[in-house]
Amino acid sequence: MRLTLEEISHHYGALEVLRDVAFTIDPGRIVCLIGPSGCGKSTLLRFLGGLERPDRGRVMIEGEPPADTLNALTYVFQDFALLPWRTVRGNIDLVLEPHRLSRAARDARIAEVLARTGLTGFESAFPRQLSGGMRQRVAIARALSVRPAVLLMDEPLSALDSQTRELLLDDLISLWSREPFAACYVTHNLHEAVRIGHRVIVLSRRPGQVREIIDIDIPLQERQHAADALAEIHD
């Protein structure tokens, strides 16, 4: 399934936040949106997910999601969005409960994503018992359990310390390497964008416009050195 934004422009009242933004998210590729605060990155993500409609332009969806997809477009937020009174298993099961799956099918999906995210053995833990990095792993596991066609990730690591961010970046790269997924990854961190993006969309200050589209051909597993060198240049 491919997502294409065509000439997206938007205002909130008199405030122009986006102007003529266009790009494509191809199957199995991670697109990073990067730019200064207030340039419309999260607004674009809401348009991609169908939570809002732009004043002008449109989001095109081409192709069909995989047959086992329950939610074609699924969010991962920076604040984890876990229910504190539910266990790890219960938080993942939350997004499966509305679907017509047997208990056995739900259990199989939960076990699969726990294994993929390194959470096996923590099924009965509550969010308060987990570190910030592990809580975000639960949020990622929950998103993966519906087998989305495209993950919409809104600064998913920004609330974490730098060491935990690096570990989770490694986790995401490992997840993608084992089973490639498509994603739109919003960040203000250039290092993150270079580490994980196949394509980096650089937005200007408000109103957000596409300043540059950078395709990165280096395999994700080999990005660390390039990202570190780029970070040194910009320090």
Side-chain angles (χ1 to χ4, degrees):
M1 195 173 84
R2 176 179 290 105
L3 295 182
T4 301
L5 284 84
E6 296 184 342
E7 305 303 321
I8 299 291
S9 297
H10 195 67
H11 291 73
Y12 287 120
L15 181 67
E16 185 181 15
V17 292
L18 292 165
R19 183 185 296 171
D20 298 328
V21 174
F23 61 86
T24 298
I25 303 170
D26 292 314
R29 307 286 280 179
I30 300 174
V31 172
C32 287
L33 291 180
I34 188 167
S37 296
C39 71
K41 301 185 296 295
S42 294
T43 299
L44 284 170
L45 211 63
R46 290 195 292 274
F47 294 154
L48 283 167
L51 299 182
E52 293 185 32
R53 291 185 178 181
D55 293 338
R56 187 162 61 84
R58 60 179 179 168
V59 177
M60 297 284 293
I61 300 177
E62 302 172 70
E64 297 294 328
D68 59 356
T69 294
L70 300 179
N71 294 338
L73 305 171
T74 300
Y75 281 90
V76 177
F77 300 101
Q78 67 180 25
D79 63 356
F80 319 135
L82 301 179
L83 299 181
W85 58 87
R86 282 196 174 220
T87 63
V88 168
R89 174 183 290 277
N91 269 284
I92 298 171
D93 201 25
L94 180 69
V95 298
L96 301 176
E97 288 169 355
H99 300 280
R100 294 183 177 180
L101 295 175
S102 68
R103 179 71 262 177
R106 282 157 53 190
D107 286 345
R109 286 188 180 233
I110 292 169
E112 176 197 357
V113 296
L114 288 172
R116 288 178 67 188
T117 54
L119 289 168
T120 301
F122 292 91
E123 297 91 333
S124 299
F126 288 92
R128 66 178 180 274
Q129 298 171 310
L130 304 176
S131 67
M134 291 189 73
R135 289 197 294 272
Q136 192 58 290
R137 282 190 191 184
V138 178
I140 293 167
R142 181 177 58 193
L144 292 174
S145 71
V146 298
R147 297 175 188 164
V150 183
L151 273 176
L152 304 174
M153 309 183 81
D154 194 1
E155 300 199 51
L157 309 184
S158 64
L160 305 173
D161 62 82
S162 59
Q163 183 176 10
T164 304
R165 282 200 304 272
E166 286 296 321
L167 291 171
L168 274 181
L169 275 173
D170 289 341
D171 288 344
L172 285 170
I173 290 167
S174 179
L175 280 170
W176 185 91
S177 299
R178 293 197 301 270
E179 190 173 337
F181 53 85
C184 186
Y185 187 104
V186 167
T187 182
H188 62 272
N189 186 309
L190 182 60
H191 179 272
E192 281 183 28
V194 174
R195 280 289 308 279
I196 202 168
H198 297 99
R199 172 172 290 175
V200 178
I201 312 292
V202 183
L203 298 178
S204 67
R205 294 187 181 278
R206 190 173 57 233
Q209 299 175 272
V210 176
R211 291 178 54 189
E212 193 171 4
I213 297 179
I214 305 165
D215 290 311
I216 304 177
D217 295 328
I218 303 170
L220 293 188
Q221 301 90 332
E222 301 173 17
R223 298 284 185 88
Q224 180 68 61
H225 179 71
D228 288 346
L230 189 60
E232 288 179 8
I233 292 171
H234 286 266
D235 278 347

